[in-house]
Amino acid sequence: MKFDTAATTNPIDQLKVVGRPTDRIDGPRKSTGTATYAYEWSDIGPKPAYGYLLGSAIAKGKIASMDLGAAKAAPGVLAIVTADSAGRLGKGNFNTAKLLGGPEIDHYHQAIAVVVAETFEQARAAAELIRVDYVRAEGRYDLAAAKDTATRPEKITGGPPDTAAGDFTRAFAAAPVQLDATYTTPDQAHAMMEPHASIAAWNGDKLTLWTANQMIDWSVGDLAKTLGIPKGNVRLVSPYIGGGFGGKLFIRADALLAALGARAAGRPVKVALTRPMMFNNTTHRPATIQRIRIGANPDGRITAIGHESWSGDLQGGKAEAVVRSTRLVYAGEHRMTASRLATLDLPESNALRAPGDAPGSMAMEIAIDEIAEKLKIDPVEFRVLNDTQVNPENPARRFSQRHLVECLRMGANRFEWSRRSAEPGRRREGRWLVGMGVAAAYRDNPVMKSAARVRLDRRGIVTVETDMTDIGTGSYTVIAQTAAEMMGVPLDKVVVRLGDSAFPVSAGSGGQWGANSATSGVYAACVKLREAVAQKLGFNAPDAVFAGGEVRSGNRSLPLLDAARGGELVAEDAIEFGEFSKSVEQLTFGAHFAEVGVDAATGEVRVRRMLAVCSCGRILNPKTARSQIIGAMTMGAGAALMEELAIDKRHGFFVNHDLAGYEVPVHADIPHQDVIFLDETDPMSSPMKAMGVGELGICGSGAAVANAITNATGVRVRDYPITLDKFLDRLPDVA
């Protein structure tokens, strides 16, 4: 099915199942421990052996020699694979560094060997016996020190590295009110609950990999390319994933080395990365340095806006696209954005929830508050004043819909913004300095081709098969709701099977495109199944109504299952998005509000309440969508207050490489969170008339917390995370 015109009325608009706050259908299995995660498969044939990865002890250099003798002689050892014994390996399209290093070393904890043994403990003990001599080379591990060596990349995610409109330099110099400030965000980890884990088994020259992966088809292709085997010889299975946040978009060392270990040992092999390996071996969100300049007239109108950024990655990597939102959120005739990339020898940088836009908004939404403060204009009103209904870099392009102002107004009313003190540091409640903050939220609405297969059996059961994944986002449920709505059956008559490369290729889970694209693919397959059912029952398909387990047209009705009495009916189709979807700017918008208390004596920060108001098309399931937003808000609060990968700048590794040293918010850190979705649809987005929600909640929420701290204390901190050591000496005097 080609989506090349705006959606009109269709069966989804009935909203008998879609749009309802439905419990997750996979919830009972996950809460009872019966959902099978990557490391837990037991029905895979012979008893699996265990693989343990040895990571490089240096960040830059090469292996001079590797003594495997003692490890090979250790109890239970079945095989050891290194770059020397693995055979010729390629490199996937989505990896910057090789997944198996040697003799050259690209980063700390790059995998250099996998030891396969009868038990995990034997494999781990044997790995400790491997003796490696390295030749250490000088590396670059400090973004600030490497900033002046950064170069202009060819492109960034979502467009060119640099853009310009008007004459920014002249307009900024002439602006009566100016802001010129630099902000920094640190390296951050995904820190999901489930580790990177895989089980690999070979049957002749065919490989099956049970793994934790968000993008099945991408990873099948990359694994095949790396191993040098046909793509058709790889099957990847990943029905349940315990969190990903972008860290499981691509295959990692666990997948490749499980496959290599299984081939060497001649039996299935299980590999799970330890927490330190997850932090240093896989990917992370890179640190950024962002210089923002804003010029405005005394009436509050922005006349010039410029955003320059610096980030780092391994040689051949890419820049963090933090300037993207600056190109689209606020008006201003004279504009400039620029991205620069420094080569660093730290572990690979890559996607982490809302890459680019999350750290970009953390800086820009502080800058917007700062210029509003200079102008003595309420920060909500300043954002409203500088709203735009067209792409400010290309005014000929309008938005499919843009309700940022409505989000700001509704949020201000709901949050009782009028209680905010206009003078920072003045509102007190006992020992606590109390402040409120606001930030705009932006995230684009990408769509991806997505396919599904739908079956109707003799019992009237509708089964959906697609390689779409569920990383805790509710994919099972919204897909089931879509099929139930389209085929006119209750949810308990729908079975959803996900995460298997044997199924049709879906959009996968990433970039906020998953739910909208995948359900549209299911919609397309159901349209074909409806046509097959109508033909079988003698109905004219366009006139047939599917409801209550029946098919009706005029005064005639038949049970749906009658269509399959002679045998199962199967239909398959894909949704394809043509140039039509690019004819307008398709973005999601929102407004974040936060209230904090700061201890007047100790500087301790407590987030007291948060609110997000979101404009993101039709909400397919308000319950799962709300969970996505509050989870993202929690991550935003963590980014604002605690999350930071500490770098050993002598040896090039992340020191706090576990969940004890890398702090993330826990229940006690997060207070009441409220989420409001505007009641709307976007017919230009998809036949579902929905948009993405998974990443909107993290864009701006951290800045709202930061702005609330400034409102509480009168102190501005521009370097995240905002830990008390950065402002304790500047707190107002305790009366």
Side-chain angles (χ1 to χ4, degrees):
M1 174 184 288
K2 193 88 166 180
F3 184 72
D4 51 13
T5 58
T8 56
T9 301
N10 64 49
I12 297 297
D13 295 324
Q14 300 172 105
L15 299 181
K16 294 178 180 178
V17 188
V18 170
R20 300 299 179 94
T22 305
D23 291 345
R24 283 170 44 170
I25 61 176
D26 53 316
R29 296 198 66 185
K30 291 180 175 177
S31 59
T32 57
T34 55
T36 306
Y37 288 87
Y39 203 67
E40 300 171 344
W41 290 87
S42 57
D43 56 344
I44 59 174
K47 178 185 176 183
Y50 291 82
Y52 189 87
L53 267 60
L54 179 66
S56 170
I58 66 170
K60 183 72 173 176
K62 66 180 180 179
I63 297 172
S65 65
M66 186 181 295
D67 184 354
L68 307 178
K72 286 181 176 179
V77 172
L78 302 172
I80 300 176
V81 181
T82 68
D84 285 339
S85 61
R88 183 172 182 174
L89 297 176
K91 188 168 77 70
N93 298 328
F94 296 101
N95 299 129
T96 302
K98 294 179 297 183
L99 297 180
L100 177 58
E104 298 296 326
I105 298 299
D106 299 311
H107 61 84
Y108 182 79
H109 264 182
Q110 184 176 23
I112 58 172
V114 59
V115 179
V116 180
E118 294 286 355
T119 70
F120 170 80
E121 291 79 10
Q122 289 173 331
R124 180 176 60 184
E128 295 290 330
L129 299 176
I130 296 176
R131 296 291 173 257
V132 186
D133 289 328
Y134 299 95
V135 177
R136 192 188 302 269
E138 185 176 350
R140 291 167 288 189
Y141 313 120
D142 187 340
L143 176 61
K147 176 173 174 282
D148 291 342
T149 67
T151 59
R152 181 180 181 272
E154 290 186 13
K155 62 180 181 179
I156 61 173
T157 301
D162 299 356
T163 61
D167 187 340
F168 167 77
T169 302
R170 180 192 60 76
F172 179 75
V177 182
Q178 299 175 349
L179 171 75
D180 185 345
T182 298
Y183 307 84
T184 66
T185 63
D187 297 278
Q188 296 171 346
H190 298 86
M192 73 292 283
M193 289 180 67
E194 181 197 25
H196 295 263
S198 298
I199 305 176
W202 290 86
N203 182 6
D205 60 356
K206 296 187 184 302
L207 170 66
T208 300
L209 187 76
W210 295 265
T211 190
N213 189 270
Q214 299 174 224
M215 299 293 295
I216 302 294
D217 190 60
W218 288 4
S219 296
V220 167
D222 256 21
L223 189 56
K225 182 177 180 181
T226 304
L227 292 170
I229 63 177
K231 186 176 179 181
N233 284 10
V234 178
R235 181 186 176 199
L236 198 154
V237 182
S238 189
Y240 296 104
I241 303 168
F245 309 121
K248 295 173 182 172
L249 284 171
F250 323 119
I251 60 164
R252 304 306 312 167
D254 61 292
L256 175 63
L257 293 180
L260 293 173
R263 187 163 64 184
R267 58 193 275 193
V269 169
K270 305 175 71 165
V271 174
L273 298 189
T274 62
R275 284 289 164 184
M277 286 288 281
M278 288 176 65
F279 279 69
N280 281 291
N281 172 273
T282 69
T283 62
H284 70 286
R285 193 197 302 278
T288 70
I289 300 170
Q290 303 179 52
R291 182 189 183 192
I292 297 177
R293 286 175 283 174
I294 303 175
N297 288 328
D299 65 359
R301 302 279 181 180
I302 292 175
T303 57
I305 186 166
H307 191 170
E308 298 166 271
S309 76
W310 293 262
S311 61
D313 200 357
L314 294 168
Q315 184 70 41
K318 59 184 180 181
E320 184 78 346
V322 298
V323 301
R324 295 194 326 156
S325 60
T326 301
R327 298 173 180 177
L328 291 162
V329 176
Y330 296 109
E333 182 181 357
H334 302 282
R335 318 177 64 84
M336 175 274 294
T337 68
S339 301
R340 296 294 178 265
L341 176 64
T343 297
L344 297 179
D345 299 304
L346 292 169
E348 181 179 339
S349 299
N350 217 308
L352 199 165
R353 197 173 197 170
D357 291 337
S361 64
M362 291 177 75
M364 177 53 68
E365 290 300 315
I366 285 183
I368 290 294
D369 255 40
E370 290 203 60
I371 191 72
E373 184 178 333
K374 284 176 173 284
L375 290 160
K376 301 189 184 308
I377 297 175
D378 178 271
V380 170
E381 295 305 319
F382 181 71
R383 287 171 170 85
V384 170
L385 183 63
N386 288 285
D387 183 52
T388 174
Q389 292 299 310
V390 298
N391 180 331
E393 290 190 350
N394 182 6
R397 286 180 62 85
R398 299 192 63 84
F399 296 95
S400 63
Q401 61 176 18
R402 179 181 167 117
H403 302 301
L404 175 58
V405 170
E406 290 89 331
C407 292
L408 288 162
R409 294 283 191 217
M410 184 180 294
N413 181 61
R414 179 73 164 260
F415 206 67
E416 297 181 296
W417 184 254
S418 59
R419 294 175 55 202
R420 172 184 179 271
S421 172
E423 188 174 353
R426 294 300 180 185
R427 182 181 166 195
R428 292 195 181 219
E429 294 180 7
R431 61 187 281 187
W432 297 98
L433 299 166
V434 179
M436 292 185 187
V438 65
Y442 145 93
R443 185 67 173 147
D444 55 358
N445 178 55
V447 285
M448 298 265 288
K449 180 181 178 180
S450 194
R453 183 185 304 125
V454 189
R455 303 177 182 273
L456 174 66
D457 68 19
R458 297 176 182 181
R459 300 166 297 160
I461 301 295
V462 176
T463 299
V464 182
E465 297 172 337
T466 171
D467 81 354
M468 180 60 184
T469 51
D470 191 321
I471 58 176
T473 46
S475 300
Y476 278 100
T477 310
V478 294
I479 285 172
Q481 289 175 274
T482 302
E485 194 79 75
M486 290 296 292
M487 301 310 300
V489 298
L491 272 177
D492 61 8
K493 291 291 186 181
V494 178
V495 174
V496 178
R497 302 177 66 198
L498 301 181
D500 190 327
S501 61
F503 300 152
V505 176
S506 74
S509 297
Q512 196 172 261
W513 63 64
N516 188 22
S517 301
T519 55
S520 294
V522 174
Y523 171 94
C526 286
V527 168
K528 275 202 169 180
L529 183 59
R530 285 164 62 105
E531 291 171 352
V533 168
Q535 182 180 13
K536 197 82 170 178
L537 297 178
F539 290 102
N540 182 26
D543 300 330
V545 176
F546 289 67
E550 295 183 334
V551 185
R552 299 193 298 268
S553 181
N555 59 2
R556 181 169 170 256
S557 67
L558 287 171
L560 176 67
L561 59 81
D562 279 6
R565 290 197 188 279
E568 183 182 58
L569 291 183
V570 182
E572 182 175 330
D573 202 1
I575 190 78
E576 295 186 65
F577 298 90
E579 291 302 312
F580 165 74
S581 64
K582 302 183 179 76
S583 63
V584 292
E585 300 290 355
Q586 290 195 27
L587 308 171
T588 60
F589 291 96
H592 286 289
F593 293 82
E595 181 179 87
V596 304
V598 181
D599 189 293
T602 69
E604 175 188 4
V605 177
R606 282 285 177 261
V607 180
R608 294 157 57 119
R609 58 193 179 103
M610 301 177 76
L611 167 67
V613 184
C614 304
S615 169
C616 39
R618 169 174 284 151
I619 302 302
L620 303 176
N621 184 338
K623 182 172 287 189
T624 56
R626 178 182 182 275
S627 292
Q628 283 296 287
I629 295 295
I630 65 173
M633 292 162 69
T634 300
M635 291 181 75
L641 298 175
M642 57 187 71
E643 291 193 42
E644 177 178 17
L645 284 169
I647 303 169
D648 184 322
K649 295 178 182 177
R650 303 163 302 165
H651 303 300
F653 68 94
F654 299 128
V655 180
N656 52 336
H657 47 210
D658 55 39
L659 295 182
Y662 183 83
E663 297 182 356
V664 296
V666 297
H667 286 295
D669 297 313
I670 300 301
H672 176 72
Q673 295 170 311
D674 198 3
V675 180
I676 300 171
F677 294 110
L678 298 190
D679 184 13
E680 61 184 9
T681 61
D682 190 340
M684 301 189 76
S685 173
S686 75
M688 303 299 293
K689 304 174 186 175
M691 303 178 88
V693 301
E695 298 181 336
L696 184 65
I698 197 174
C699 298
S701 50
V705 172
N707 289 332
I709 292 172
T710 297
N711 183 245
T713 64
V715 180
R716 176 65 68 186
V717 178
R718 295 175 176 144
D719 300 303
Y720 288 101
I722 304 175
T723 49
L724 62 87
D725 57 294
K726 295 175 182 174
F727 64 85
L728 183 61
D729 60 343
R730 293 185 283 161
L731 285 176
D733 292 335
V734 178

